[in-house]
Amino acid sequence: MTVAVVGGGAVGLSTALALCRRGESVTVFERDALGSGATGRAAGLCYDAFADGVDAGVAADALGRYRDLDLFEPQPYVWVARNEGDATAVREQIAGMQRNGVAVKALTPTALGDRYPALDTSGIEVAGLARDAGVLDPDEVVATLAERAEENGATIETHTPVSLGSPTSVETADQTRAFDAVVIAAGPRTKSLVATVGVSLALKTYRAQALVTEPVDATLPSFYDATREFYWRPKADALLVGDGAHETDPTDWNPDADAEFVTRTLDRVEQASALTPACDRAWAGLCTATPDGAPLAGQVADGLWVATGWQGHGLMRAPALGNYLAADVLNRPNPLSEHLPDRVDPTRFDGSEEFAALDDPTRDWGG
Ligand SMILES: Cc1cc2nc3c(=O)[nH]c(=O)nc-3n(C[C@H](O)[C@H](O)[C@H](O)COP(=O)(O)OP(=O)(O)OC[C@H]3O[C@@H](n4cnc5c(N)ncnc54)[C@H](O)[C@@H]3O)c2cc1C
């Protein structure tokens, strides 16, 4: 089969690699440089801490693939709640995760403080600790996936923006090329690309921000504060801290972080730890959202597939969903949960749905 994959981010490259490994002839078209979309701007958190069984299965598959590619760096993940409502939710999540066999446990604030003295645990009601979590380096992910895809026969055309002439033909600046199948993994642009062939996606775009601090002298886990709604991960000898999301127009947005985001985020780090780091660098990127928080990954027309709507979790799931999509394109058995196809079916919406992208951008999809 000849397959075009539009988008050279983690999802497009994972799909391309999985298709090549199954012996298909794959061309990746990337408008800019590989990883220039959300992938290259991601924090790199990667964990299996999902209370829903389908999500946990996808995460376990993805983590295994990242481990096989030597891209997964173990790093415990702690998430905390500061009020009774959030604490109840965290306890329920932990119980659900344990039922899925995920290596998590609840920690009291005292136990958390003993383990991580640099954390200020005052005001924390309960914490969850996921032991098998880790972090990824997005640039390494992109480079490795691209290298493996090329080794397996893929052609990668960068700086080549495309549009669709039909569901199975791709138009570059100077030619139209026909394929047996086309997979659009173009982030927020997926919506406008498939709109030209009459497919309407229930997809919204929001802008998320992150910063890296100057070096800090502390041993900390990856961390998510469910009450204050921000996260960090250790990155080399510094912290990468993120939140600050708001809905935006994917064609007109600011890739630089807002000054207000930087100030607020450093304040939050100071409140949650004994640290007072300065900001080294900060940026913004685009994430995609759907009405129910689950992605849009599957067939939308004869010969045409989409993969988008990751709700801020696309990097950590890319290899699992890429492999799933490859099987779907080739009409082979679904390698993941039998419930996944319905969960991610892009045609479960007709595209006319009214919804707010940021009702809860950090929720587990479907969870
Ligand atoms: C600040 C921030 C932090 C994040 N942190 C995490 C995290 O810790 N863990 C996690 O799992 N996820 C995280 N995410 C989300 C994650 O980055 C995305 O879900 C994921 O990268 C999506 O990958 P993708 O391949 O679908 O899209 P993208 O990486 O956006 O790739 C789409 C590609 O398509 C290309 N393209 C678009 N239009 C065209 C066209 N017409 N022709 C050719 N190419 C085109 C773009 O240039 C782009 O390279 C974060 C996102 C942001 C912004």
Side-chain angles (χ1 to χ4, degrees):
M1 235 176 140
T2 57
V3 186
V5 175
V6 179
V11 175
L13 291 170
S14 295
T15 309
L17 175 56
L19 284 162
C20 291
R21 280 185 168 157
R22 290 165 186 256
E24 310 309 327
S25 168
V26 180
T27 307
V28 177
F29 296 97
E30 164 54 49
R31 159 178 81 167
D32 200 335
L34 295 176
S36 57
T39 298
R41 293 166 178 270
L45 286 165
C46 185
Y47 49 74
D48 59 356
F50 292 97
D52 175 88
V54 178
D55 299 342
V58 169
D61 186 273
L63 264 58
R65 290 175 192 279
Y66 275 132
R67 282 195 180 96
D68 290 348
L69 290 165
D70 208 14
L71 290 167
F72 181 85
E73 183 191 332
Q75 173 70 58
Y77 174 70
V78 163
W79 72 113
V80 304
R82 294 177 186 275
N83 61 43
E84 203 34 58
D86 290 340
T88 303
V90 168
R91 289 190 190 97
E92 285 170 4
Q93 287 162 359
I94 291 169
M97 291 169 194
Q98 288 171 336
R99 280 196 295 277
N100 292 328
V102 179
V104 300
K105 64 177 181 180
L107 291 180
T108 62
T110 308
L112 182 64
D114 288 347
R115 195 179 276 254
Y116 297 108
L119 272 180
D120 181 346
T121 57
S122 54
I124 291 177
E125 293 270 336
V126 67
L129 170 72
R131 285 193 300 275
D132 289 345
V135 289
L136 305 164
D137 177 329
D139 294 340
E140 263 183 47
V141 168
V142 168
T144 302
L145 291 173
E147 193 182 300
R148 296 292 172 95
E150 285 182 318
E151 280 167 12
N152 282 273
T155 303
I156 299 181
E157 300 191 15
T158 55
H159 304 284
T160 308
V162 303
S163 55
L164 287 177
S166 74
T168 53
S169 65
V170 167
E171 294 181 343
T172 61
D174 51 9
Q175 58 176 327
T176 300
R177 287 151 70 176
F179 293 86
D180 296 320
V182 175
V183 180
I184 311 283
R189 298 291 183 132
T190 305
K191 185 179 171 97
S192 52
L193 274 164
V194 299
T196 59
V197 294
V199 175
S200 184
L201 294 182
L203 189 76
K204 293 219 168 161
T205 303
Y206 64 94
R207 176 174 168 266
Q209 301 176 74
L211 63 79
V212 173
T213 66
E214 288 184 341
V216 296
D217 184 16
T219 301
L220 287 165
S222 291
F223 179 82
Y224 174 61
D225 191 320
T227 303
R228 294 180 179 160
E229 295 185 344
F230 75 103
Y231 64 85
W232 73 55
R233 59 154 282 195
K235 191 170 172 68
D237 52 2
L239 290 180
L240 188 161
V241 198
D243 86 329
H246 60 92
E247 206 164 316
T248 194
D249 174 354
T251 62
D252 181 20
W253 61 286
N254 182 2
D256 299 321
D258 306 335
E260 183 273 336
F261 160 77
V262 173
T263 310
R264 176 165 42 91
T265 301
L266 293 176
D267 283 351
R268 284 173 160 174
V269 173
E270 200 173 327
Q271 285 162 16
S273 69
L275 306 168
T276 53
C279 174
D280 177 55
R281 58 191 189 278
W283 66 92
L286 296 183
C287 292
T288 47
T290 65
D292 61 2
L296 307 175
Q299 191 167 8
V300 289
D302 267 358
L304 181 63
W305 277 256
V306 296
T308 186
W310 303 108
Q311 214 83 28
H313 290 90
L315 178 64
M316 68 174 85
R317 289 160 166 161
L321 267 295
N323 190 47
Y324 166 81
L325 273 170
D328 200 42
V329 169
L330 302 174
N331 202 18
R332 305 273 167 75
N334 162 22
L336 291 166
S337 159
E338 59 176 319
H339 301 295
L340 188 66
D342 286 344
R343 177 79 65 87
V344 301
D345 179 359
T347 65
R348 68 189 183 281
F349 305 112
D350 66 12
S352 66
E353 291 78 7
E354 294 289 330
F355 66 104
L358 286 167
D359 267 353
D360 183 2
T362 53
R363 72 189 159 188
D364 301 351
W365 40 284

